[in-house]
Amino acid sequence: ILQELKAPFARTETGTFFQEQPRIGNQYLEDGLLQRYLKVHLPPKVFTEVSQDLERFGSRVMDEIDSLGRECELTPPRLQQYDAWGRRVDHIITCMAWKRMKEISAEEGLIAEAYERRYSSWSRVHQVAKLYLYAPSSGLFTCPLAMTDGAAKVIETLGSLGPLEEAFSHLTSRDPTKFWTSGQWMTERKGGSDVAGGTETVAREQSDGTYILHGFKWFTSATDSDMTLTLARIVDARGQVEQGSRGLSLFYMKVRDEEGKVNDGIEVQRLKEKLGTRQVPTAELLLDGAKAYRISAEGRGVASIASMLTITRIHNVVSAVASMRRVINMARAYATKRVAFGKPIKDHPLHTQTMARMEVQARGAFLLLMETARLLGLEETSMATEQDQDLLRLLTPVAKLYTGKQAIAVISEGLECFGGQGYMEDTGFAVVLRDAQVLTIWEGTTNILALDVLRSLTKSQGKVLAAFFSAAQEKLELASRISDLESSVQLIQNALHRLGQFTQRAGSKGTVTMQLAARDFAYTLARIYTGALLLEHAAQPGAPLTDIYTAQRWCQQDLCPVDKEERAGCYDEAAASMDTSFVYEG
Ligand code: UCC
Ligand code: FAD
C-alpha cells in the first residue's frame, strides 16, 4: 500500500507516534483482593471506616505522594562533612520531598495508628494496609518508618520509663513538628548476620548512670533519624567485656540535637554507595564517646531487640508484596495501551499468562502478609491464643524470606512486561527492581531467617510447629466442603503429611541435616500455609471465581520441596561434602 509520505523524520520532527504512558490509579480501588480481604475479616463498622480512610489515602498517594517518591529517587541524599570554614559538620542533606514524607507519615498516623489501637486488634491490619498502599510511592520512606515502628515496639515491650517515655511519644506522634524517626544500628564490619560475633562497640558507664559508646557501625540506614537503638558490650570495673551474645546490651541514643545537628561523639564517615535504596541515607558511623542510655538488662541486648526485628521484618514483607502489586498494576495498565502485532498486548494470551503467574504469586504473598498482621494485632491487644503467638513467631521469618525472593522474581518479570521501557531509568521501573534486591539482605538474609525458623522450633520444643499444623488444618476446613476446591485441599493435605514425615525423620538426624534443609523447610512452610490461606479465602461465601482459580493455581506447584530434596539425598553429610568440592572446584 502506497502512502503519501510527508517526510515525518525531517529536521526537528522525531516521528508522530508516542506511546501513551501507563499511570497509577487509586491503588485501593484497583485492588479487589485487598477490599475483599478487609470486608471478610473486619467487623462491619470498622470495615466502613477503614475502607473510607484507604480510599481517601489511595487518592492522596496517586495525586500527591507518588511524585514526591520519584523526587526522592532523583534527588538522593548527600553528606556535607565540613562547612566553608573547615569545621566538621557531618550534615546529611536530604531533599524537600524526603522531609515532606516525614510530615505526611505523621499526618497519616502511619506509626501512630498501630499504637493508638482505636480498632483494637484490627489496628495493625489497618496500618499494614495503609503502608501497603504507600510503600511503592514512598521514595523508601518506609525504611525509616519500619525502624521507627520497631523502636516503638521495643519501648512498649520494655516499658517506657525515663528518657524512653519522651522517645515513645515522639515516635508515635501524629504531629509533624513532634514526630521522630529511629535508626537500628546492629551491623559492624565483622558481621551483620553474626551480631554476637561481630559487635566490637563498647559502652562505659558514667557516674550519672548513662553510658558513652565507642565503636564503628558499618551500616546505619536513614541516618537522618532523630534517635536510634543500638548494641554494645559493657566494660566492667576491670576493663573487661564479655564476648558472645550474653555480652551484648541494648542502648537508646539521641542522634541529633534540637537544631538537627549530629550529637557530639558521632562522626559520619561516609554515605554508602548502593545498588538501590539510594533515596535513603545509609552511613558508616564512628561512635567516639556518644552518649546513650542502657534500656535492656545487661547481656539481654539481642533478646530485647528481637521485638524490633519482628516489626521490621513484617515491614519488609509489606514492601515486598506492595512492590509486586504495583508492578503488576502498572503492567496491566500498559498492556491495555501498548499495541504489538496489530492488537493490544493484553490480547496476546501468552502475555496474559505471564501476568497471571505473577498475579498468583502476589495474591498468595498478600494473604500471608495480612495473616501476619492479623496475628500481630491479636498479640498486641492480648487477644492472641498460644497458637496465635507461636504462629506469629514462625510466620514472621517465613514470610520475610519467602516474599523477598518472590518480589525479586515477580518484579524482574514485571519489568519485562514493559519491554525496553522497563529497563529505562526515567520510566521509574528500574528503581523498583534495584530496591527489591535489598529485601532479601537487610533484616536478615534468607539463610539467616531460615535458621531463625529452626531456632523458633527448637526453642519451643516443637510447639511452634504443632501450631502450624493445627492452624493450616483449620484454614482448610471450610474449603474441604466446596467441590471446586476439594482437589486443592487434598494437595495441601498431602504436603502436610509429607512435611510431618520429614520432621519425624529429621528429628533423629544431626544438626547438619537440619541446617542443610533449613531453606527448603522454610519454603515448604510458606507454600503450604499460603495455599491454606488462599483456600480459606476462596471458600468464603460469594467469593469470585478468580479467588478459586488463584487457590487452585497456587496448589499446583511443588508444595513440599523439603521432602523431595531429602529423598534426593541433598541433606546428607556426603552431599554437604560434595557441595564443597563442587562449589570450590579449581
Ligand atoms: O538491616 C537492618 C536495617 C535495614 C533497614 C530497615 C529496613 C526495614 C524494612 C523496610 C522495608 C522498606 S538492621 C540489622 C538487621 N540485622 C539482623 O536482622 C541480624 C540478622 N541476624 C540474626 O537475626 C541472628 O539470628 C541473630 C543476631 C538474632 C542471632 O544472634 P545470636 O546471639 O546468635 O542469637 P541467640 O543466642 O540464638 O539468641 C539470643 C536471644 C535468645 O533468647 P533467650 O536468650 O531468651 O533464649 C533468642 O531466642 O534472642 C532470641 N531471639 C529471638 N527472639 C533471636 N532471634 C529472635 C527472633 N527472631 N525472635 C524472637
Ligand atoms: P554476612 O553476615 O557476612 O553474610 C554473608 C553471606 O553468608 C550471606 O549470604 C549469609 O546468608 C551467609 N551466611 C552467614 N552466616 C550463615 C550461616 N550460619 N549459614 C548459612 N549462611 C550464612 N544493618 C544495620 O544494623 N542497620 C541498618 O540500618 C542497615 N541498613 C542496611 C542498608 C542496606 C542497603 C544494606 C544492604 C544493609 C544494611 N544493613 C544494616 C546491614 C544488613 O543488615 C546486613 O548486611 C545483613 O544482615 C547481612 O550481614 P553481612 O553484610 O555482615 O553479611
Side-chain angles (χ1 to χ4, degrees):
I1 300 167
L2 291 173
Q3 279 182 328
E4 191 191 344
L5 281 178
K6 285 203 286 178
F9 298 99
R11 307 239 171 120
T12 55
E13 294 255 11
T14 57
T16 50
F17 173 77
F18 293 95
Q19 177 61 49
E20 197 187 330
Q21 180 184 345
R23 296 188 187 278
I24 82 160
N26 182 322
Q27 296 297 291
Y28 180 62
L29 297 180
E30 284 186 11
D31 198 328
L33 180 60
L34 169 60
Q35 291 172 40
R36 283 199 297 284
Y37 176 88
L38 296 175
K39 184 138 202 195
V40 167
H41 291 272
L42 302 187
K45 188 169 173 298
V46 176
F47 171 71
T48 307
E49 288 185 23
V50 165
S51 185
Q52 278 167 1
D53 184 49
L54 294 177
E55 186 176 338
R56 178 200 56 76
F57 186 57
S59 290
R60 191 173 187 191
V61 168
M62 177 174 71
D63 299 334
E64 178 189 355
I65 296 175
D66 194 58
S67 57
L68 292 172
R70 185 74 189 135
E71 202 178 319
C72 292
E73 168 70 11
L74 297 176
T75 326
R78 58 193 177 83
L79 173 64
Q80 183 197 356
Q81 228 152 10
Y82 296 93
D83 74 5
W85 304 98
R87 282 188 201 88
R88 185 88 190 230
V89 286
D90 286 359
H91 186 196
I92 294 173
I93 300 163
T94 56
C95 65
M96 287 313 292
W98 180 261
K99 294 187 177 74
R100 185 76 192 109
M101 288 296 188
K102 187 175 180 184
E103 292 168 358
I104 290 172
S105 302
E107 286 161 16
E108 292 288 344
L110 292 179
I111 302 302
E113 197 65 59
Y115 294 88
E116 290 164 356
R117 310 224 163 98
R118 65 179 154 145
Y119 300 126
S120 181
S121 76
W122 296 110
S123 296
R124 270 294 177 190
V125 167
H126 180 204
Q127 180 213 23
V128 161
K130 223 164 159 173
L131 287 166
Y132 167 75
L133 299 179
Y134 177 60
S137 296
S138 71
L140 260 175
F141 202 79
T142 42
C143 169
L145 289 184
M147 299 188 287
T148 302
D149 199 349
K153 178 74 174 176
V154 168
I155 297 175
E156 192 182 59
T157 310
L158 294 176
S160 49
L161 298 171
L164 289 182
E165 191 180 346
E166 182 202 16
F168 186 78
S169 76
H170 283 290
L171 296 173
T172 56
S173 176
R174 282 181 185 263
D175 179 347
T177 63
K178 296 205 175 109
F179 181 55
W180 278 7
T181 55
S182 176
Q184 171 187 12
W185 303 348
M186 296 176 70
T187 307
E188 302 196 9
R189 277 190 292 236
K190 272 172 86 181
S193 304
D194 178 10
V195 173
T199 306
E200 296 179 306
T201 301
V202 294
R204 291 178 196 280
E205 190 169 6
Q206 305 299 291
S207 53
D208 62 357
T210 64
Y211 289 77
I212 55 166
L213 267 52
H214 291 267
F216 197 95
K217 297 293 173 182
W218 181 230
F219 277 94
T220 65
S221 276
T223 322
D224 60 325
S225 291
D226 304 275
M227 59 162 276
T228 194
L229 299 186
T230 192
L231 296 165
R233 299 184 189 283
I234 294 173
V235 182
D236 68 18
R238 290 168 298 140
Q240 309 278 312
V241 292
E242 186 177 343
Q243 294 304 326
S245 198
R246 301 309 303 239
L248 290 175
S249 303
L250 184 60
F251 293 85
Y252 155 65
M253 190 191 286
K254 275 193 190 175
V255 179
R256 41 197 83 244
D257 62 19
E258 305 299 322
E259 278 98 53
K261 195 176 147 298
V262 175
N263 279 334
D264 286 345
I266 303 176
E267 264 188 27
V268 184
Q269 291 295 298
R270 61 171 177 150
L271 290 188
K272 298 277 201 192
E273 290 189 21
K274 299 171 286 178
L275 167 69
T277 71
R278 293 182 193 164
Q279 313 86 329
V280 183
T282 301
E284 293 168 18
L285 296 181
L286 173 72
L287 305 183
D288 183 11
K291 181 177 171 181
Y293 300 86
R294 177 169 59 80
I295 60 169
S296 74
E298 285 191 29
R300 297 297 293 161
V302 175
S304 303
I305 208 167
S307 52
M308 182 172 214
L309 294 176
T310 300
I311 299 294
T312 48
R313 286 170 183 174
I314 293 173
H315 277 254
N316 205 84
V317 183
V318 174
S319 275
V321 182
S323 45
M324 285 189 261
R325 170 53 51 213
R326 181 63 62 85
V327 160
I328 294 173
N329 284 2
M330 295 300 281
R332 202 161 66 171
Y334 193 62
T336 58
K337 297 181 180 5
R338 181 71 173 170
V339 172
F341 301 100
K343 53 186 179 185
I345 52 176
K346 163 179 182 293
D347 295 334
H348 291 284
L350 183 56
H351 186 72
T352 305
Q353 180 204 62
T354 306
M355 289 188 53
R357 288 179 179 167
M358 292 156 63
E359 269 293 340
V360 171
Q361 293 301 317
R363 290 182 188 214
F366 171 81
L367 289 185
L368 188 58
L369 164 65
M370 283 311 192
E371 174 75 347
T372 316
R374 184 185 72 83
L375 292 167
L376 178 63
L378 289 173
E379 189 228 44
E380 292 180 328
T381 47
S382 306
M383 290 163 76
T385 61
E386 216 176 308
Q387 177 175 306
D388 294 331
Q389 291 171 43
D390 289 339
L391 208 51
L392 176 64
R393 173 68 185 91
L394 181 67
L395 289 185
T396 303
V398 165
K400 196 280 186 182
L401 74 85
Y402 199 76
T403 59
K405 289 291 189 200
Q406 282 179 303
I408 295 172
V410 167
I411 293 165
S412 170
E413 190 71 83
L415 259 57
E416 202 177 322
C417 291
F418 301 97
Q421 289 299 82
Y423 197 71
M424 293 300 106
E425 273 301 328
D426 52 3
T427 55
F429 299 125
V431 55
V432 188
L433 183 60
R434 273 206 301 272
D435 289 350
Q437 187 66 52
V438 83
L439 298 172
T440 60
I441 297 174
W442 65 14
E443 296 303 345
T445 61
T446 308
N447 282 349
I448 292 304
L449 290 162
L451 295 173
D452 187 51
V453 169
L454 295 189
R455 178 192 282 109
S456 75
L457 262 51
T458 314
K459 194 165 178 196
S460 71
Q461 295 172 328
K463 209 159 62 64
V464 158
L465 195 61
F468 174 85
F469 277 96
S470 316
Q473 288 291 359
E474 284 164 21
K475 307 251 166 250
L476 296 178
E477 231 164 68
L478 196 56
S480 63
R481 284 182 253 132
I482 294 176
S483 60
D484 280 345
L485 296 173
E486 241 173 82
S487 59
S488 303
V489 169
Q490 201 49 55
L491 290 169
I492 298 280
Q493 295 282 19
N494 290 347
L496 278 168
H497 179 69
R498 287 163 66 202
L499 174 64
Q501 287 186 324
F502 167 79
T503 50
Q504 275 176 8
R505 288 195 300 274
S508 60
K509 302 215 169 133
T511 46
V512 173
T513 300
M514 273 323 284
Q515 282 192 19
L516 287 174
R519 195 187 262 241
D520 298 330
F521 183 74
Y523 282 15
T524 300
L525 298 182
R527 289 191 193 159
I528 291 179
Y529 203 79
T530 304
L533 288 168
L534 285 165
L535 284 163
E536 179 193 50
H537 188 72
Q540 297 304 318
L545 265 180
T546 46
D547 282 349
I548 294 175
Y549 184 68
T550 315
Q552 290 168 336
R553 291 282 297 264
W554 181 274
C555 294
Q556 277 153 15
Q557 66 187 310
D558 179 4
L559 294 168
C560 195
V562 75
D563 178 48
K564 193 168 128 211
E565 295 287 315
E566 192 216 11
R567 286 179 197 282
C570 294
Y571 311 141
D572 298 345
E573 302 219 5
S577 140
M578 197 56 209
D579 284 347
T580 304
S581 320
F582 162 63
V583 171
Y584 295 97
E585 188 177 31

